[in-house]
Amino acid sequence: MMVLTSLHHGYGAIIYQSHFRLHVLLVSIPVIILLAALYYAMIRATAGRWLWWAYLGLVTLIPLAGIGLFEGLYNHAVKNLLYFLGLPIPVFDRLFPPPTYEKPNNVIFELTGILQALLVLPLAGAMTGLFKARRNHDQPVS
């Protein structure tokens, strides 16, 4: 999710000549590094409970909620749906104000944006599996 959003925003910065889109790299690159470090430490046999919670919390907060739901679902899926359903432009521009938002005019940009929303389901499923595994691991043996 974080690599996809980095590529998506980099591409958007180039095609729309809007360097403000590169702000995502200030978040995505550190999150990628931190998640990799947490995951590596977490899978080690000596990993403490706090590593699991830090990993699950970070994935839930940034890739799932921040990128998947807000960026992918609202900024792209909902934006495209409303635009192509014919929402009046003044209303559309209030919901998606220029220059932060572009009207759909680039297939690659919009599809990579929508893909962020589509990745929410498998990512949420994987996180649910990790959460259940952690919960089962923490249960006392009777």
Side-chain angles (χ1 to χ4, degrees):
M1 181 77 81
M2 299 312 296
V3 171
L4 173 63
T5 201
S6 298
L7 295 171
H8 167 76
H9 280 83
Y11 179 74
I14 293 167
I15 64 167
Y16 294 120
Q17 298 176 356
S18 53
H19 293 46
F20 71 87
R21 294 178 196 279
L22 296 175
H23 75 283
V24 151
L25 298 176
L26 297 173
V27 174
S28 64
I29 293 171
V31 167
I32 290 168
I33 293 167
L34 185 55
L35 284 174
L38 284 170
Y39 185 78
Y40 176 76
M42 188 177 66
I43 61 174
R44 297 176 62 80
T46 59
R49 179 181 298 170
W50 74 271
L51 287 169
W52 283 88
W53 289 113
Y55 182 81
L56 292 171
L58 186 60
V59 168
T60 300
L61 185 64
I62 306 293
L64 270 174
I67 302 302
L69 294 179
F70 181 70
E71 166 68 11
L73 186 62
Y74 177 73
N75 287 355
H76 288 284
V78 170
K79 178 186 80 169
N80 278 274
L81 181 65
L82 293 175
Y83 182 81
F84 290 112
L85 285 176
L87 186 70
I89 294 301
V91 177
F92 182 88
D93 285 346
R94 275 196 306 259
L95 292 172
F96 306 99
T100 303
Y101 293 92
E102 299 286 341
K103 290 178 180 62
N105 60 14
N106 184 285
V107 173
I108 294 170
F109 183 71
E110 295 304 331
L111 286 179
T112 56
I114 291 169
L115 184 56
Q116 295 169 125
L118 297 177
L119 288 177
V120 166
L121 291 176
L123 184 55
M127 290 300 95
T128 301
L130 281 176
F131 179 78
K132 286 179 181 177
R134 181 75 242 175
R135 189 179 64 204
N136 291 337
H137 180 267
D138 288 342
Q139 297 293 325
V141 178
S142 46

